[in-house]
Amino acid sequence: AQKITQTQPGMFVQEKEAVTLDCTYDTSDPSYGLFWYKQPSSGEMIFLIYQGSYDQQNATEGRYSLNFQKARKSANLVISASQLGDSAMYFCAMREGGAGGYQKVTFGTGTKLQVIP
Amino acid sequence: DTGVSQDPRHKITKRGQNVTFRCDPISEHNRLYWYRQTLGQGPEFLTYFQNEAQLEKSRLLSNRFSAERPKGSFSTLEIQRTEQGDSAMYLCASSGQFSTDTQYFGPGTRLTVL
């Protein structure tokens, strides 16, 4: 089974509108973390937002928020007020395991977001 | 504070040649990771260092691949006898002392094997 599933290979959004990028995950570890990264065409992976499995509230970072639904094992990224510079690949990732030792991070296959003027 | 840096950014080589990539992590980070990313895929884990110790290697890391972090600072990834299938983006990331710390990535080295 896939650890991280991103079912939307590509998405379009109108500038200034909000968009939701889907991510579901699979783990039996009670302690895990969920990340979203942005990868522009230049190739660098840019960290956007993090949600820990024990966090009670959904994470927010500026225009980014993570809609964490633990029972459904989903961690969707919401981008509000889209900008042209948001056009990029977006990867959902999961870290399994708690403190100590190696933190294995598994990435999904990504969603290509295109913002339309 | 500078982020993670990688050198070179692009490398074109002929099949059978050896290549070496360098990664300089964020200065206070003691954990360093190498990933490989092929077209249309997310990054795949290759190997992990905590300080100078290489603690984890993926089965993706064949015996043609070797990574070092001799002084616990920068790291090198060498690929010997390159094959066309090695063509990919090689990403380096670093994180702080806690295993729950976020990994921050460098710009990557794009390798093309002709």
Side-chain angles (χ1 to χ4, degrees):
Chain A
Q2 293 288 327
K3 290 280 189 179
I4 294 285
T5 302
Q6 295 182 253
T7 57
Q8 306 153 313
M11 290 279 287
F12 289 92
V13 64
Q14 203 76 37
E15 193 178 5
K16 299 181 186 178
E17 296 293 312
V19 63
T20 298
L21 307 184
D22 295 341
C23 173
T24 57
Y25 60 92
D26 182 29
T27 182
S28 56
D29 198 320
S31 177
Y32 55 91
L34 297 156
F35 303 82
W36 278 92
Y37 287 86
K38 172 185 178 182
Q39 188 176 42
S41 56
S42 58
E44 183 172 358
M45 297 284 284
I46 301 168
F47 166 70
L48 296 178
I49 196 166
Y50 168 79
Q51 179 86 42
S53 58
Y54 295 120
D55 293 344
Q56 294 296 311
Q57 296 191 345
N58 287 345
T60 60
E61 288 287 347
R63 294 186 300 110
Y64 304 109
S65 61
L66 200 152
N67 184 3
F68 180 45
Q69 298 188 44
K70 196 169 183 177
R72 300 176 68 176
K73 293 189 174 180
S74 75
N76 298 339
L77 176 70
V78 180
I79 305 174
S80 62
S82 297
Q83 302 172 356
L84 295 177
D86 293 335
S87 294
M89 284 290 290
Y90 287 80
F91 290 95
C92 180
M94 176 174 64
R95 169 192 52 77
E96 295 177 275
Y102 161 59
Q103 48 165 336
K104 178 178 173 62
V105 176
T106 306
F107 286 81
T109 53
T111 295
K112 184 173 183 178
L113 177 67
Q114 295 184 68
V115 181
I116 304 166
Chain B
D1 178 38
T2 57
V4 179
S5 61
Q6 292 186 246
D7 184 68
R9 295 291 305 277
H10 302 274
K11 179 70 177 179
I12 300 173
T13 191
K14 292 182 179 179
R15 189 176 53 186
Q17 297 293 306
N18 299 344
V19 294
T20 300
F21 309 143
R22 176 179 170 126
C23 171
D24 287 87
I26 293 171
S27 57
E28 63 267 28
H29 284 178
N30 66 341
R31 296 169 185 249
L32 186 147
Y33 312 81
W34 285 98
Y35 290 84
R36 181 171 67 188
Q37 185 180 22
T38 54
L39 202 61
Q41 299 296 317
E44 293 177 294
F45 168 77
L46 291 179
T47 190
Y48 154 67
F49 289 86
Q50 185 167 332
N51 299 310
E52 66 276 7
Q54 188 175 18
L55 298 183
E56 187 84 16
K57 288 195 294 186
S58 165
R59 63 180 184 279
L60 293 175
L61 209 66
S62 78
N63 55 12
R64 296 185 297 105
F65 288 68
S66 62
E68 294 182 343
R69 194 182 183 198
K71 298 182 180 179
S73 56
F74 72 92
S75 174
T76 58
L77 177 68
E78 181 183 16
I79 309 174
Q80 296 181 329
R81 304 181 303 282
T82 52
E83 301 172 356
Q84 288 186 327
D86 297 332
S87 295
M89 175 77 89
Y90 290 85
L91 293 163
C92 175
S94 70
S95 68
Q97 62 177 315
F98 300 107
S99 63
T100 53
D101 285 352
T102 296
Q103 295 182 22
Y104 292 91
F105 283 79
T109 295
R110 186 172 296 281
L111 173 66
T112 302
V113 182
L114 302 176

